[in-house]
Amino acid sequence: MAISGRSPTSVSSRSSGGHAFLPCWLDPSIPPLHPPNGVLGTLATSVQAAPATPGYYDIVAEDMSVWHVPNNFPLEHWNLAAILRYHTSNRFLRLYGGNLFELFKRYPVRYNVGSCSNRGPAVPIVYDHGDKESTKMLYGPNPRTEFEPGFITFRPINNERAAMAICSGVKPTGCHTEHYCIGGGGYFREHNEQCGDFPAFDWDRLGISQGWSASKEMREAAVLLFYR
């Protein structure tokens, strides 16, 4: 399973508790783009799509690993090339149905499902490559003031009530989660440029000040999710 890039959201309804994601310029009252049983992707195409391959909902697991791998590296070098690798170790998926499909049924990723305080679970992580300090530096100076590194967080919600899938490596303590969480839930009221899996990771653009923008390394890496 993978999340990558800034292409407009167009993924299967299996991606978040049976609710299809919507392009973020559409009103969320519009019916979903895909039929209820739609499934996207093969191993090759999943790097350009949200997690919707059969393993996403068929595998029963206890933990997960996450790798951030720079774009265009061949498969055999992903391990060494990754800018961040970590895993969970507390068997948290047993509490949420054994996989992310079941977890997101409990914490659906869709607009106006709750407020900033209604985020899903934040699970401690064990670093395989990187640490808390290097994780902080992958994000912009402004976001660093409103998250705690060392976690993976599910279904964060921002100030405008837009939901995202995960915050990779961090636990929000503030509500500007579009700058450091990924997997947009389809509708972002603030700005239509927040379409895609990395909603506002390049908010302040290159060549100005980093501000709210994530690092180039983070923005140009795919996020690979593995069950354990």
Side-chain angles (χ1 to χ4, degrees):
M1 297 175 289
I3 296 175
S4 177
R6 289 183 49 79
S7 59
T9 307
S10 179
V11 302
S12 162
S13 60
R14 285 197 183 268
S15 294
S16 180
H19 292 85
F21 293 168
L22 296 172
C24 65
W25 58 87
L26 293 182
D27 185 276
S29 63
I30 295 173
L33 295 175
H34 298 278
N37 294 321
V39 179
L40 281 188
T42 63
L43 179 61
T45 61
S46 68
V47 178
Q48 279 77 43
T53 56
Y56 169 63
Y57 50 85
D58 285 345
I59 293 173
V60 177
E62 295 183 335
D63 283 293
M64 61 182 295
S65 297
V66 179
W67 295 8
H68 290 251
V69 179
N71 295 332
N72 301 318
F73 270 84
L75 173 62
E76 61 268 25
H77 298 314
W78 284 2
N79 189 327
L80 293 176
I83 60 174
L84 182 64
R85 288 188 286 110
Y86 62 81
H87 65 273
T88 64
S89 61
N90 62 358
R91 301 179 178 179
F92 79 99
L93 283 174
R94 295 196 301 180
L95 302 175
Y96 302 102
N99 56 47
L100 295 180
F101 177 62
E102 294 296 329
L103 185 152
F104 286 126
K105 285 170 66 175
R106 303 185 192 192
Y107 297 96
V109 182
R110 63 176 185 266
Y111 176 72
N112 206 25
V113 73
S115 65
C116 173
S117 61
N118 299 126
R119 67 180 68 98
V123 182
I125 60 175
V126 177
Y127 285 97
D128 301 303
H129 174 68
D131 54 30
K132 290 183 178 180
E133 186 61 27
S134 64
T135 299
K136 286 176 60 177
M137 300 309 293
L138 290 171
Y139 298 100
N142 294 346
R144 290 174 210 153
T145 67
E146 61 166 71
F147 64 64
E148 179 183 352
F151 295 85
I152 181 171
T153 305
F154 297 92
R155 214 280 301 279
I157 300 173
N158 72 3
N159 273 322
E160 293 77 33
R161 303 178 77 86
M164 284 135 274
I166 66 171
C167 304
S168 184
V170 304
K171 176 174 67 174
T173 58
C175 298
H176 294 92
T177 53
E178 68 271 22
H179 301 288
Y180 51 92
C181 301
I182 59 180
Y187 178 72
F188 286 82
R189 190 181 67 191
E190 183 178 20
H191 204 291
N192 63 11
E193 288 192 4
Q194 293 178 16
C195 289
D197 286 323
F198 295 174
F201 274 39
D202 58 357
W203 187 252
D204 291 302
R205 304 294 189 269
L206 291 174
I208 309 176
S209 60
Q210 191 177 351
W212 288 101
S213 293
S215 67
K216 184 175 185 289
E217 291 79 9
M218 178 61 80
R219 288 183 286 108
E220 296 183 0
V223 185
L224 309 181
L225 313 178
F226 303 94
Y227 287 136
R228 292 166 62 92

